[in-house]
Every structure is written in structure tokens, then in C-alpha cells.
Amino acid sequence: MTKPVISQYLKAYPPCLEELVQTYWERYYDRCCQLNLNLADESHRASLFKLWGVSDYAAEISAFHPEVLHKVLEKGDLERTLTHADYAERLGDFIQGHEDEDTFDHQIRLFRQQEMLRIMWRDVIYVGHFEAVTSELSALADLLIQRTAAYHEKIYLDRFQGVLPDGELNTLIVIALGKLGGEELNLSSDVDLMFAYDSLIEKQWQNEEISCQEFYTRIAQRVIKSLSTVTREGFVFRVDLRLRPFGTSGSLVLSDRALAKYYQENGRDWERYALIRARLVTGSEHGKEVLHQIINEFVYRHYLDYSAINALREMKTLIEREAQARELEHNLKRGPGGIRELEFSVQIFQIIRGGREPNLQVANILEVLSRLREANYLNDDSYELLKNSYVFLRNCEHKLQALQDRQTQTLPKDDVEKTRLAFAMGFADWEAFDACLSEIRTAVKKYFARIFEAPKNNTYMGKLVATQAQLQQIWRNKLTGEQASQTLEQLGFQSPESILSLLSQLRESERYQKIGRKHKLLVDILVPVLLYNLVPISDQPQCLTRIMPIVENILGKKKYLLFLLEDNNAFGQLVALCNASPWVADQLATYPVLLEDLSDSRALYAPLEEATLEAQLRQSLVGIPQEDLLQ
């Protein structure tokens, strides 16, 4: 076989890449001769050489395993976006029957190798745009995780006969988080996973030899090993389990009921952001319902959750400290103006408003951006800035990871590697690429910083949000006495010391100390809202003194806490009435059920009529037996 000259394809290449591609071409040609294979068709060589120029991983597969490259070309679908169903059909050609575990692991690696080569090729030559590439990567990961889980579950069902009455497969719950959860997986990313099992199965358990939790723990361990062990053919996906409850010290597998309990009692602020992108990859319908319930109760609140501003502020401080300590200036994800800041800039809208607006409860960043624009939370300029910046940064991340099939977000220092990245991104040289990247990161950094600007700037969600964030710091005793007094005075409070004294009494009260963490989270949001409503009142300490017994009486009553948070009108009426009448305040403290009457201001101030009262009383007595004196 005569060796074709390829110099005509490389004329526009930087000299360092020209030499690199020529070397890979020599290796590819020699290997094809050894295997008696034809060379790749001339029509594909231009894009193939570009791929080799920017990805050692793809070039080495082509040079040492040209049969894999030729299978990709035989399929003839470089210009088509594959779906989960397409991958499922293809995987059938690789996995047939019930192979032993080593054979199974070998075959899924070969399959992943072939499909990753195809996806990288599409990404590098810009045939597939960003959303298509991440969609394919996510569909591929879903399928391989599902098949691997089913394979090992079948083995353990056969080993432990009679564990489940019907021997049903796919009972292991695998939850994807992060990029996979949002169906926008990176080109060479870890997959963030959590494992669980359906608590309904525990009730049906029929084997005393092994417990339900141990059974699913063993399956999960085998799944992780099959996916992440590095062999001669590489790995399938690196698995990251650090986002599970209690992190690396927590159980590998929990029941869905234990999972829900953890987030109710121990869930932290950063875990809300993690669960925004939670998605079931395998599991029962009941498992899906439980996951949906966990997300609704833990992530999304049925009130405007301005406390998220403060939580994000603390996370921002941690991000900045990490960036300084670890010199992350050149990190596309964690550095200033990077992917993480951009993601948080979008997710903060979801955390604050998602409970009231289910339309925002989606995991994919680009989809969230689109819905935020539709809801007028982003103007066209902000939408275009965030969308274009996100796509650019993620495309850049993909090109970095394609080089060695390695998870990295750090910009190269080596001149050759810089040239390869700039070339992959379509720039003439590193200087042009770096200038564009710097402009984008500066814009993202500024947008992210505006979230935390002082109230006078009024740039994010208005003065309300920023003021309540400051008031929450005061309520949670995060400021010194002098700082708290100065802040209250700046916000319009005439007697800061009196206000601080009343807040301290509530914090130290026996009732507050005894309520659970879940109720304290609600109070941490309710008190700042209360303080905000006090600003226009002339005698703020007097009004707050009248309201405090009401708050103290409902501390352990979630129903009333949520009612006040969800009904802004009721909160306003509460402050107005208590300011006007100590008797009303006393009645509300004694009978919290009266709070529910505050939501309708028209009925609240309308004159009482005997007929109306009689009708209401009759309605209240419906269904209560006459002999029931307790009611």
C-alpha cells in the first residue's frame, strides 16, 4: 500500500502541530499495513488530522487501534446526534448473552472507546454543537450505568435466591448529580453518583443470609469497580461519590427513606445546589416519586427564599479563599469568572424562586437560562452574556479534556499545548484566544460580583433581597454588636440596641432552643422578613415587643411559619395591626389560628354581620357529632 502524502492538509497548521500530525500519520499507516486495513477515506482526512492535532487520546486510538476508527467511519453518522435508543442498539453488538465479569468490563470499555472517539471527532470539527455533544455524552453515560447496574444486579439475584419475590431487575437506585444530572456531561468528566434502594423492597425482603442494605451495597461496589477501574482499554467513567450524605464517611447505599431523613435533618446549604441537578438514572417509579419529594422539600421552598443569598455569599467567600490559596487563576471551572461562578449566578434564581415557580425546577443550565429570560428575570443582554459565556467556557473545557481524555480545567503553560488549545477553539494563535477568554471571564466575574453588591446599588433582585440578607446576618448573630447596630441604623432603625436586645431574648428563649433544625431554618428566614416590615413603623421596638410573643408561640408550628412566609400580605397586616393595637397582638399570640384571617385584607376590615358569622359557624361544625363535647 502506497503511503499518501498529507502535506496539503497541513498547510494552515502551526509548525508544531504539523510535525505532530505527521508522526501520528506514520504510526497509523504502519498499523493499517500490519492489520491489512485500508486507510481512512480521503474525504475524512482533513477533519481527522485536525482531531489528531488537538487530541492525543483520539490520535493514539487511531494509530494503535485503527479498526476502532474504521468502525466509526463505517457507521457514517458523524453528522448525526445519537440518542439513548441509538446507543442501546449499538451496545447490543458488543454485549451478547451473559459473559463473565472480565469480558463484560472489557466490552463496555471498547464500546466507550469507540463512541468517545466519534463524539470527540464531532466536537473538534464543529459538526456537533455544544448541546448536541453534551447530550450524547450524557445518553452514553446513562446507558452504560444502567447496563452495568442491571448486569451486577442479575448476578446477585441469582446468587441470593428468593431475595425479592419476583426477581425484578433495576431496583438499585442510581442518582446522577452535577453535569450528568443536568444531562450536559463533560467530554472527560467524573460522574457524580449516589446510590439508594427502594424502602418498599425492604418490606418484601425474604433472605436472612444478607440484609437489604448489604445486598445493594455489594451491587453498588461492583458497579463502581466495573465503571472506574483502569485497564489496558482504559476506564468507562470515573465515579465520584463525595456528594452522598455525610460524604466519604457516609454509607455507600441508603434506603430512599433514610435519604429523605438525612436531607430533612442534616442537609447543608451547598447540598441544595448539588440536588438542583439530581436525576434518577435507574430505579423504580416509587424511587422517582421519593427523589422528587426530597428535592421539593429540601431544595425548593414554597416561599421566596432570600436566605439563599446569604448562603451563597458564604460559598462565594470560600470559593475566593480557595482560588487564592491554590492559585486557581488559570482554572476554567473554579477560577474567577469561571464555570462555577456562572452556574451559581443561574442557580441562585432557582433556589430563591423555584419553590413558587416550578417552571424553574430544571437541571440543565442552558434550559434554566432560557426559562429565566421567558419569565423576565433576565433581560436579553444578560441572557446572551451568560449563555454565550457558558458555551464558550464549556467548549474550551472540552478541548482541554480531549487532549488526554483527562478531567482537567487548568489552562496549559506549555507553548505547544497553548497552540493546540487555541487551534482547537478556532483562533489563529494563543494571544487571540487568551484575549477573548479574558474578556468573557471578566464579564462573568463582574456579573457574579453584582449579586453581592450593597443595597444602594440595587442591581440584583432589588433592595429587598440585599436588605434581608443583611438582617439575617444580624439575626444569626454573625456581626459584632457595633457592626449590627451600625447596620440597623443604616437600614432605618431608630433604636438599634433595643431591637438587638429583643432578638437576643428570642434566640436565647427556651422555646427557640428546643425546636428542631428544620424549624430553625424557617425562623432564620422569617425574622429578617419581620424586621424588614418594621422599617416604616415609627416606634419599632414597641411593635417588635408586641409581635415577639406571637413569633415565640409559633416557633414549633411549621404550618404558621410557612403561612407567614408564603403570604406577604398577611405579614404586612400582622405588623400593621400589632403596631396599632396591643390587644390584637395579645389575641394573635394566644390564638395563632387567627393568623389565617390576615391573608384577606377586605374581609379583615369589613364590619361583622350576624348572618355571615352564623354561616361560618355552621360550616365549622359540619361532620362533628353533637355528643362530641371536646370539639
Side-chain angles (χ1 to χ4, degrees), residues 172 205 219 277 327 418 593:
L172 176 71
W205 203 251
I219 296 172
R277 307 178 95 171
E327 297 181 352
K418 286 182 176 180
V593 69

XYZ file of all heavy atoms in Angstrom, residues 172 205 219 277 327 418 593:
66
model
N -31.918 -1.201 42.058
C -30.912 -0.290 42.607
C -31.197 1.105 42.070
O -31.383 1.308 40.872
C -29.511 -0.725 42.189
C -28.364 0.206 42.618
C -28.154 0.128 44.127
C -27.069 -0.144 41.887
N -38.406 -8.093 51.842
C -37.150 -8.845 51.877
C -37.363 -10.257 52.410
O -38.027 -10.466 53.417
C -36.133 -8.095 52.744
C -34.722 -8.473 52.411
C -33.867 -9.206 53.175
C -34.021 -8.159 51.214
N -32.670 -9.363 52.542
C -32.737 -8.720 51.323
C -34.356 -7.471 50.059
C -31.774 -8.607 50.321
C -33.404 -7.346 49.067
C -32.134 -7.909 49.197
N -23.808 -4.626 45.268
C -24.077 -4.322 43.850
C -23.421 -2.991 43.473
O -22.755 -2.876 42.438
C -25.590 -4.270 43.574
C -26.223 -5.642 43.800
C -25.850 -3.807 42.145
C -27.736 -5.631 43.736
N -29.516 19.503 40.517
C -29.254 18.763 39.284
C -29.415 17.250 39.474
O -28.946 16.473 38.643
C -27.852 19.099 38.786
C -27.625 20.594 38.658
C -26.242 20.938 38.221
N -26.192 21.113 36.782
C -25.129 21.584 36.127
N -24.058 21.910 36.779
N -25.152 21.720 34.831
N -4.075 29.096 43.919
C -3.684 29.772 42.684
C -4.488 29.242 41.489
O -3.956 28.635 40.563
C -2.183 29.608 42.435
C -1.330 30.250 43.526
C 0.154 30.094 43.254
O 0.519 29.377 42.312
O 0.950 30.695 43.987
N -0.570 25.341 24.492
C -1.335 26.569 24.274
C -1.752 26.684 22.808
O -2.894 27.038 22.487
C -0.504 27.786 24.676
C -0.345 27.989 26.169
C 0.470 29.257 26.445
C 0.577 29.546 27.923
N 1.368 30.777 28.178
N -54.308 30.570 65.424
C -55.183 30.233 64.301
C -55.755 31.492 63.650
O -56.105 31.500 62.465
C -56.320 29.287 64.764
C -57.286 30.018 65.674
C -57.045 28.682 63.564
